[in-house]
Amino acid sequence: MSWLRRAVPALLLCATAAHAAGPTLEAEFAAGLKDEGLAGAVWSEVLPDGTVKVGASGLRDAAKHMPMQADTRMQVGSVGKVALALGVLRLVSEDRLTLDTPVQQVLPELALNNPWQTSDPVRIRHLLAHTSGLDNVRFWQAFSLNPAPDTPLADAFDGGRNLLRVRARPGSRYAYSNMAYGLLGMVIEKVTGQPYERYLDAQLLRPLGMADSTFAFVTQAGAQADPRLAMGYFEHGVAQPAVPQYLRPAAQFTTTAADMGKLAQFLMGDGKLQGERFIDLALMGALSEPAGTDAAQAGLATGHGLALAVRDRHNVVGACHPGTAVGFRAMLCLYPEQESAFFVAFNTDAEQADYERFNRLLLRDLELPLRAPAPQGTPAPTVENWQGVYVPSPSPMASMAWVDAVFGFTRLKWDGESLFLIPFQGEPKELEPVGGLLFRASDRSTPSHVLMQEDGKHILSDGLRSYERASMLRMLVLWGSLALGMAGLLYVLVVGVWRAALRRLGRGGHLFAPLLSLLALLLPLPFFYFQSYLRLGDVTIASVLLALVTGALPLATAFGLARCWRSRGTAAEAGSWAKWDWVALLAVLQLLLVLAWWGLLPLRLWQL
């Protein structure tokens, strides 16, 4: 056995040498940025010994060929919600606010439409944990060049009573809401008597030692440009400087990798700064602990706490928050049990890029222990009762509820051993039973889904999304309406153009007005092409034209039907095809009326 004792150290030495000789984290980031078409990145890692490692790769300004540096300032979008949440918890710790304070007690001017107001008012904790039931965001709030850096926060809610409609009982279901964090900014201003940016910079960031971070508006262009701020990019290297926004408390935050390391260290601590209590210990424990929702009460541990969401990826479970800003993407993840954390930010927002690739690199570099998958358990005997078609409830965006119902549905199927989640868009998932009504997706290590029943309704939840089983009759009506409407539109387009080509489509023809109105839908396209996508929610030539042509379409269709009625029995225009004009136009009109009922016609982007 002496040869074995000599061989083991040699093998370990070889393995260590091989690891050391492998690509460095910086090299792997550089290769990843090139493969994914991203400009640059910065990152920081918090190690168990308390040190913070920072790194950078790529370009902070591609046009000037300026390299990304570790102290380059980045915009991190919704990651800033974590810091803002801490600011609110600081007020709670100072007894200037409570988690259970009703929002309307602080902001009585709000036009909250809450059907559960008497028993379940929207409270501060609901805004923090995204369980208020409020909508996420409207187009005009997210895509507009109208706001200035100092536009009053109340202007983001100047959209009528239904803008703040509560769609689910407060506290019951998670539904991500940028509006909720916009309201939290207003709460901070009402309680402190000063702009939320000024208060948080002075009373939160400064004590935390985050001197390179700010909630104030920072941009790369103009007289007040920050030379240390990286330029933001979209696909194909299209540059985009930062612009002011209505819901800035939800997504306006500029920072550095080193500062985010400091924030991560505080988040994993006991809430003290220099030995003094800064945030109450109980509040620190609730930062990433889902509580109160129906899914949490049913035993699901994944979900959102007061600032962070439980994230189960790559056999490692942590508390994370992603972020997206104009031209930027970011992620913050904490692993308190291992006293480790990472932050990464990119100055490119590209839809097709695999950002998860870089998260894997950082997890591997931190050498976090992998978690064994939860063992299978005995499912409840009633699981088969949950089979059916499910739709998002509530929808991520209230204005897109029809789209979510028709295209965002998922099927749930039980084969006696596993539950299968089969979305209309996306890859199917096999869910293994871990006991009762809890299930685990094959790519997760902990229970990831739970089945529930509320007021006779069957619910599926993963802690961050809830789906409600829909009546098959309702779904068939929606799908049938869409299929008939699209078939009718195709008929109008093909037959109308064919008749026009044969000079058989006069001004009095059945399809003349509907075809003209259908072709008019092309009119706004060039105007949209030449305007910034950041103006999608503004009243522009493009958006007004879109509203006009989509509003004219049902009127033109009804006019065509009236022509059919007047010429019934004559068949002078199209012979035996005349009856099909009736059918096609009726099919089109019913779809247009359905879209109007759901608030999608006329399509007024400045109201969506």
Side-chain angles (χ1 to χ4, degrees):
M1 297 292 290
S2 59
W3 65 272
L4 182 59
R5 287 194 295 269
R6 292 193 301 269
V8 169
L11 289 172
L12 291 175
L13 183 61
C14 290
T16 303
H19 178 75
T24 64
L25 184 62
E26 289 76 9
E28 290 187 287
F29 256 82
L33 293 174
K34 182 178 180 181
D35 292 343
E36 304 298 336
L38 307 177
V42 299
W43 62 90
S44 56
E45 298 172 284
V46 177
L47 306 181
D49 63 5
T51 61
V52 177
K53 291 180 5 181
V54 296
S57 184
L59 300 173
R60 80 168 189 255
D61 191 321
K64 299 178 181 178
H65 301 284
M66 298 175 67
M68 189 74 76
Q69 297 176 338
D71 65 346
T72 296
R73 302 182 82 189
M74 303 286 277
Q75 298 194 326
V76 297
S78 290
V79 172
K81 287 185 173 73
V82 179
L84 187 136
L86 278 183
V88 174
L89 297 182
R90 174 62 176 160
L91 292 174
V92 174
S93 300
E94 294 178 321
D95 295 326
R96 303 173 72 180
L97 199 63
T98 74
L99 289 179
D100 290 319
T101 300
V103 175
Q104 283 194 291
Q105 181 177 313
V106 184
L107 303 172
E109 69 276 14
L110 284 183
L112 269 176
N113 182 0
N114 179 13
W116 300 270
Q117 176 63 32
T118 302
S119 59
D120 296 282
V122 176
R123 305 180 187 275
I124 298 299
R125 68 167 71 248
H126 300 147
L127 298 181
L128 289 167
H130 298 283
T131 58
S132 65
L134 293 172
D135 198 0
N136 181 5
V137 68
R138 295 292 179 92
F139 267 73
W140 66 268
Q141 292 172 323
F143 304 108
S144 175
L145 294 182
N146 289 334
D150 57 352
T151 293
L153 297 181
D155 286 9
F157 302 97
D158 184 20
R161 186 171 180 81
N162 281 331
L163 182 66
L164 292 175
R165 180 170 61 91
V166 178
R167 301 173 296 153
R169 180 174 56 82
S172 65
R173 297 184 188 179
Y174 173 93
Y176 194 83
S177 177
N178 281 293
M179 285 196 205
Y181 271 72
L183 293 178
L184 284 172
M186 294 176 64
V187 167
I188 293 173
E189 294 190 344
K190 180 62 73 75
V191 172
T192 65
Q194 57 184 304
Y196 85 94
E197 298 101 326
R198 186 189 308 163
Y199 170 79
L200 292 176
D201 281 5
Q203 303 301 320
L204 176 73
L205 300 183
R206 191 176 301 163
L208 290 176
M210 299 174 64
D212 276 334
S213 302
T214 182
F215 283 91
F217 176 68
V218 183
T219 188
Q220 306 92 334
Q224 303 299 319
D226 184 346
R228 287 179 55 199
L229 176 61
M231 177 59 71
Y233 294 93
F234 296 110
E235 281 92 351
H236 312 299
V238 177
Q240 176 61 59
V243 296
Q245 51 194 308
Y246 281 117
L247 293 172
R248 58 184 186 273
Q252 182 175 284
F253 190 64
T254 304
T255 187
T256 62
D259 272 8
M260 290 305 293
K262 295 176 183 177
L263 179 63
Q265 286 178 314
F266 178 79
L267 291 167
M268 294 189 295
D270 60 4
K272 291 184 178 180
L273 283 180
Q274 299 177 349
E276 298 292 328
R277 177 66 58 197
F278 190 70
I279 304 289
D280 285 346
L281 184 60
L283 297 176
M284 296 297 294
L287 289 176
S288 59
E289 181 182 347
T293 64
D294 295 337
Q297 293 180 359
L300 193 65
T302 57
H304 199 284
L306 297 178
L308 298 153
V310 177
R311 179 181 169 89
D312 180 359
R313 297 291 190 278
H314 318 300
N315 299 112
V316 179
V317 179
C320 303
H321 205 301
T324 303
V326 174
F328 291 84
R329 289 275 187 106
M331 176 68 78
L332 171 67
C333 282
L334 314 177
Y335 305 92
E337 291 182 9
Q338 292 78 35
E339 298 179 311
S340 301
F342 76 77
F343 162 77
V344 60
F346 308 86
N347 61 330
T348 308
D349 179 15
E351 290 298 326
Q352 302 303 317
D354 179 15
Y355 292 94
E356 198 63 34
R357 168 180 184 168
F358 302 93
N359 296 338
R360 290 193 297 268
L361 289 176
L362 290 163
L363 285 174
R364 187 200 66 194
D365 198 61
L366 287 172
E367 298 181 344
L368 299 176
L370 303 183
R371 184 190 292 255
Q376 288 194 19
T378 303
T382 57
V383 169
E384 63 180 12
N385 295 339
W386 268 264
Q387 295 185 103
V389 176
Y390 287 72
V391 296
S393 179
S395 298
M397 288 181 64
S399 58
M400 295 288 107
W402 179 85
V403 177
D404 288 329
V406 174
F407 299 105
F409 68 91
T410 187
R411 287 196 303 122
L412 207 59
K413 181 181 178 183
W414 172 250
D415 70 354
E417 294 184 357
S418 296
L419 197 63
F420 291 89
L421 196 61
I422 310 170
F424 178 68
Q425 302 181 72
E427 295 296 321
K429 287 186 177 181
E430 180 179 358
L431 308 180
E432 298 179 351
V434 294
L437 295 174
L438 288 170
F439 295 82
R440 180 183 64 83
S442 57
D443 58 346
R444 300 290 187 265
S445 56
T446 59
S448 59
H449 293 75
V450 65
L451 303 178
M452 301 175 291
Q453 196 167 8
E454 303 170 9
D455 300 325
K457 300 175 181 178
H458 289 77
I459 309 295
L460 165 72
S461 177
D462 64 1
L464 297 179
R465 288 165 296 184
S466 292
Y467 296 84
E468 187 175 304
R469 190 170 70 181
S471 159
M472 184 54 69
L473 176 61
R474 176 175 180 264
M475 296 306 297
L476 288 175
V477 168
L478 287 174
W479 295 332
S481 169
L482 176 62
L484 288 173
M486 294 306 295
L489 287 170
L490 184 61
Y491 176 95
V492 171
L493 181 62
V494 174
V495 175
V497 170
W498 174 67
R499 289 180 187 172
L502 296 178
R503 300 181 182 276
R504 295 174 55 188
L505 186 67
R507 292 185 178 181
H510 304 162
L511 302 184
F512 179 81
L515 177 63
L516 195 63
S517 183
L518 188 58
L519 294 176
L521 295 178
L522 300 175
L523 289 177
L525 294 183
F527 294 94
F528 277 114
Y529 181 80
F530 288 108
Q531 80 170 29
S532 168
Y533 90 98
L534 293 174
R535 301 199 66 191
L536 280 177
D538 290 337
V539 177
T540 64
I541 294 177
S543 61
V544 170
L545 270 176
L546 181 63
L548 290 175
V549 296
T550 54
L553 186 56
L555 297 177
T557 304
F559 183 76
L561 276 170
R563 288 286 187 183
C564 288
W565 176 260
R566 290 180 182 178
S567 63
R568 66 191 185 281
T570 64
E573 176 191 355
S576 61
W577 281 89
K579 62 180 180 181
W580 292 109
D581 294 353
W582 273 92
V583 174
L585 292 175
L586 278 173
V588 171
L589 186 60
Q590 63 80 28
L591 174 60
L592 298 178
L593 291 176
V594 167
L595 294 178
W597 173 262
W598 287 75
L600 293 175
L601 279 185
L603 193 53
R604 294 163 292 185
L605 295 179
W606 62 86
Q607 291 187 355
L608 287 183

